[in-house]
Amino acid sequence: MPSILQKALKMAAYAAVGLSGTVAAYLSAAFVLSHIAVPKADPNAAPDVPVFLHTNGVHTDIVVPVQTAQMDWSRLLPYSNIPSGDTSLRYIAFGWGDKGFYLDTPTWADLKFSTAFVAAFWLGSSAVHATYLPTPTPGPDTVPLHLSHAEYARLIRYIQTSFRYDAVGRVQHIKGHSYGPDDAFYEARRVYSFAYTCNTWTNNALKASGQRACLWTPSDKGIFYQYGR
């Protein structure tokens, strides 16, 4: 019996060491790769479209005008999908993340281990969170970017391809869920994991549109480090 217990304890110790090593490697990779910059593709690009990068301290959003000559987001995501229906809001923020985390965790106090586990290990599905806003104010948590028409076209395409569409090509509104009067959730493509987080999605949006970004990052800190914040 003691030998069985000793073996069990030894296996538990090996598992703990392995887990600690994995966590350390992950954190090290996150730190190093988030500090390696992917520079802006065209430093001389015309500042045609005002776009913003925003964080709430954990999660990042890309904020764009609701309507430009290139895209009217209210046609894809009608104002009627948000509880307020407020058509005076001229900007829209896009975030991507684990569907269960988004819908079941409106505040950190609501976080459950099962929700976090499913999100971290490719076991869930994803959603796009779209929030209509007034014009953002630049600050520590909000970085203004100015994209050329060509850069914005690539960003539009990146955001559009993040949605999951129905058989007739419409976005799939997740009805009955919102954090406030001006937001809505939609079914999305890809699966969230510790390797591809909400902030990885935002970082890839910056890359897709030719903006300064991290080589890779799971956190908002890496992205905002690249913008001196």
Side-chain angles (χ1 to χ4, degrees), residues 99-219:
K99 180 179 174 181
F101 200 101
Y102 263 146
L103 303 186
D104 300 332
T105 314
T107 69
W108 288 110
D110 299 305
L111 180 61
K112 298 177 182 178
F113 173 80
S114 58
T115 301
F117 185 86
V118 167
F121 293 101
W122 295 275
L123 298 174
S125 56
S126 60
V128 170
H129 185 214
T131 306
Y132 280 96
L133 302 167
T135 303
T137 301
D141 298 330
T142 305
V143 176
L145 307 173
H146 292 85
L147 277 59
S148 68
H149 291 306
E151 290 171 334
Y152 187 50
R154 295 197 295 273
L155 179 60
I156 290 170
R157 180 61 181 162
Y158 178 84
I159 295 171
Q160 287 176 324
T161 57
S162 295
F163 288 93
R164 187 179 297 279
Y165 297 86
D166 65 17
V168 295
R170 295 173 300 198
V171 296
Q172 300 179 66
H173 178 209
I174 304 172
K175 298 180 180 180
H177 291 277
S178 65
Y179 289 162
D182 303 319
D183 68 306
F185 290 94
Y186 300 86
E187 300 286 354
R189 297 176 63 249
R190 294 203 62 151
V191 176
Y192 185 103
S193 72
F194 66 85
Y196 191 90
T197 70
C198 53
N199 299 305
T200 309
W201 180 88
T202 300
N203 191 59
N204 286 354
L206 294 171
K207 290 181 183 179
S209 56
Q211 305 308 297
R212 186 175 180 85
C214 308
L215 188 60
W216 172 77
T217 185
S219 75

Side-chain angles (χ1 to χ4, degrees), residues 56 86 204:
N56 65 5
D86 187 351
N204 286 354

Side-chain angles (χ1 to χ4, degrees), residues 16 20 22 28 32 48 53 82 112 122 128 144 155 163 166 201 220:
S20 298
T22 300
S28 296
V32 172
D48 299 317
L53 176 63
I82 62 174
K112 298 177 182 178
W122 295 275
V128 170
L155 179 60
F163 288 93
D166 65 17
W201 180 88
D220 67 325

Side-chain angles (χ1 to χ4, degrees), residues 71-93:
M71 181 65 183
D72 183 352
W73 291 105
S74 68
R75 297 186 66 180
L76 183 69
L77 313 172
Y79 283 102
S80 58
N81 286 352
I82 62 174
S84 71
D86 187 351
T87 59
S88 70
L89 301 170
R90 307 318 302 162
Y91 278 78
I92 184 168

